[in-house]
Amino acid sequence: MVSWSFTTSRVVVVLLGLLSLFQSVTSIRLGLVRLPSSDLPLFREAPAFRNGEECGSTDADRINVAMTLDANYLRGTMAAVLSMLQHSTCPENLAFYFLSAHDAPELFSSIKSTFPYLNMTIYHFNSNRVRGKISKSIRQALDQPLNYARIYLADTIPENVKRVIYLDSDLVVVDDIAKLWGVDMEGKIVAAPEYCHANFTLYFTKDFWSDPALAKTFDGRKPCYFNTGVMIMDVEKWRREKYTDKVEEWMAVQKQQKRIYHLGSLPPFLLVLAGNIKAVDHRWNQHGLGGDNLEGKCRSLHPGPISLLHWSGKGKPWLRLDSRRPCIVDHLWAPYDLYRSSRHFFEE
């Protein structure tokens, strides 16, 4: 093992980053490659994933995936992206749209150096769009402006994007994402797994259900809980029918009139869409692996086939693994973890 000096290794990394600018990779939006900030975790470079012979290469073959990009969840994002590429028959057809609340070149550089061949673009999400509209929830992480970015997704990504899969950063995909992309939405604006066995009334307060004017919003619908961390969205229809305004109307009720829910950006989605989405097989969101929103206790897998593992809830697998107190399910996330410590980075 060769031990490099700190200065030498920094120079080498910068040179490698600059050389990558000259690679003939037209699918990646290139920018100045900078050394990742010391505040960000360091990651191993992922292998290149190539399309199979049966894959097309037209716009019609593209699979659009949108995710938020945040330093606190960057390790989860890297694992999620790797899992999709690794299990995809046509990985080069995946186009990633990342939404970031900060203009952080280091985030771009980190993804670019980890996935040199990734077709991706980062879009700035203006946090001012939700400041003053967010009410305090039961967990601080749910109050962050970026948690509300999915509401504004259709207005942030290019208008020529008609349909997109939105995914949280605390999950891994263990099946070909093209299968989820191929779901027939049957004219619905959102497709997602529904959980009709869940007690739907618990997602809203007594003040909501005791107000006849508010409670009747579900008249004519059979509302079921769905998790907004895994959704196929018809963003063209979302724009045309102004669904952002519809969701914001309920956020205004919560902020200005009375407290009608406790769970961040989820309830206003449910108020607008519950009972009127395309139901997707439960295998596409084995959710709740992060436990509840208060303690994050370990949970076991639900029975049945699995295509996507989702650590929704307070507990995140990378934090529990680092604490050396992981849950059993966290070991299913670990094979996709590209993180490496700074010590290993400078001694390899």
Side-chain angles (χ1 to χ4, degrees), residues 268-288:
F269 260 93
L270 297 179
L271 286 161
V272 174
L273 291 164
N276 193 28
I277 71 169
K278 166 64 177 178
V280 174
D281 194 300
H282 287 180
R283 69 185 301 151
W284 284 104
N285 196 351
Q286 177 84 218
H287 69 291

Side-chain angles (χ1 to χ4, degrees), residues 255-316:
K255 187 71 175 178
Q256 301 170 14
Q257 298 182 29
K258 64 174 68 176
R259 191 165 180 81
I260 59 175
Y261 55 79
H262 298 297
L263 282 173
S265 64
L266 169 64
F269 260 93
L270 297 179
L271 286 161
V272 174
L273 291 164
N276 193 28
I277 71 169
K278 166 64 177 178
V280 174
D281 194 300
H282 287 180
R283 69 185 301 151
W284 284 104
N285 196 351
Q286 177 84 218
H287 69 291
L289 301 183
D292 60 86
N293 278 299
L294 296 176
E295 299 182 47
K297 293 182 178 179
C298 294
R299 289 184 179 175
S300 57
L301 296 173
H302 304 295
I306 299 171
S307 293
L308 185 150
L309 296 157
H310 188 185
W311 280 260
S312 57
K314 185 177 181 180
K316 302 306 172 189

Side-chain angles (χ1 to χ4, degrees), residues 87-314:
H87 294 285
S88 177
T89 302
C90 305
E92 292 179 282
N93 290 354
L94 271 59
F96 287 87
Y97 303 84
F98 294 110
L99 276 60
S100 174
H102 306 286
D103 292 324
E106 295 85 0
L107 286 174
F108 173 89
S109 179
S110 186
I111 294 182
K112 175 69 170 62
S113 60
T114 305
F115 298 102
Y117 303 99
L118 193 67
N119 179 3
M120 65 98 171
T121 312
I122 299 177
Y123 296 92
H124 176 67
F125 169 66
N126 186 359
S127 298
N128 291 327
R129 295 196 67 173
V130 290
R131 295 195 191 281
K133 300 175 184 177
I134 297 175
S135 55
K136 189 175 181 179
S137 65
I138 63 173
R139 185 158 61 92
Q140 186 177 4
L142 301 177
D143 300 339
Q144 302 306 308
L146 201 57
N147 190 47
Y148 289 77
R150 69 199 79 190
I151 298 171
Y152 304 91
L153 175 62
D155 305 322
T156 306
I157 61 178
E159 289 191 1
N160 66 337
V161 177
K162 312 297 185 184
R163 174 170 163 163
V164 68
I165 297 174
Y166 176 85
L167 297 175
D168 278 348
S169 296
D170 53 356
L171 55 79
V172 291
V173 179
V174 294
D175 202 346
D176 193 336
I177 195 71
K179 297 177 183 177
L180 181 60
W181 179 255
V183 167
D184 182 359
M185 297 183 68
E186 299 178 358
K188 302 297 185 181
I189 197 163
V190 163
E194 282 186 316
Y195 303 91
C196 296
H197 64 279
N199 187 345
F200 190 78
T201 61
L202 296 179
Y203 292 95
F204 304 95
T205 65
K206 291 181 179 179
D207 285 343
F208 173 84
W209 294 113
S210 63
D211 187 327
L214 296 178
K216 73 177 183 180
T217 189
F218 293 113
D219 287 355
R221 290 191 270 167
K222 293 182 179 180
C224 296
Y225 161 74
F226 67 94
N227 183 284
T228 56
V230 179
M231 301 183 289
I232 312 169
M233 302 177 68
D234 183 339
V235 286
E236 182 179 35
K237 187 173 183 180
W238 183 285
R239 299 181 191 106
R240 185 173 64 248
E241 300 185 12
K242 300 185 183 302
Y243 271 79
T244 296
D245 294 344
K246 295 177 182 180
V247 175
E248 282 189 329
E249 287 174 8
W250 284 110
M251 293 167 62
V253 172
Q254 164 85 346
K255 187 71 175 178
Q256 301 170 14
Q257 298 182 29
K258 64 174 68 176
R259 191 165 180 81
I260 59 175
Y261 55 79
H262 298 297
L263 282 173
S265 64
L266 169 64
F269 260 93
L270 297 179
L271 286 161
V272 174
L273 291 164
N276 193 28
I277 71 169
K278 166 64 177 178
V280 174
D281 194 300
H282 287 180
R283 69 185 301 151
W284 284 104
N285 196 351
Q286 177 84 218
H287 69 291
L289 301 183
D292 60 86
N293 278 299
L294 296 176
E295 299 182 47
K297 293 182 178 179
C298 294
R299 289 184 179 175
S300 57
L301 296 173
H302 304 295
I306 299 171
S307 293
L308 185 150
L309 296 157
H310 188 185
W311 280 260
S312 57
K314 185 177 181 180

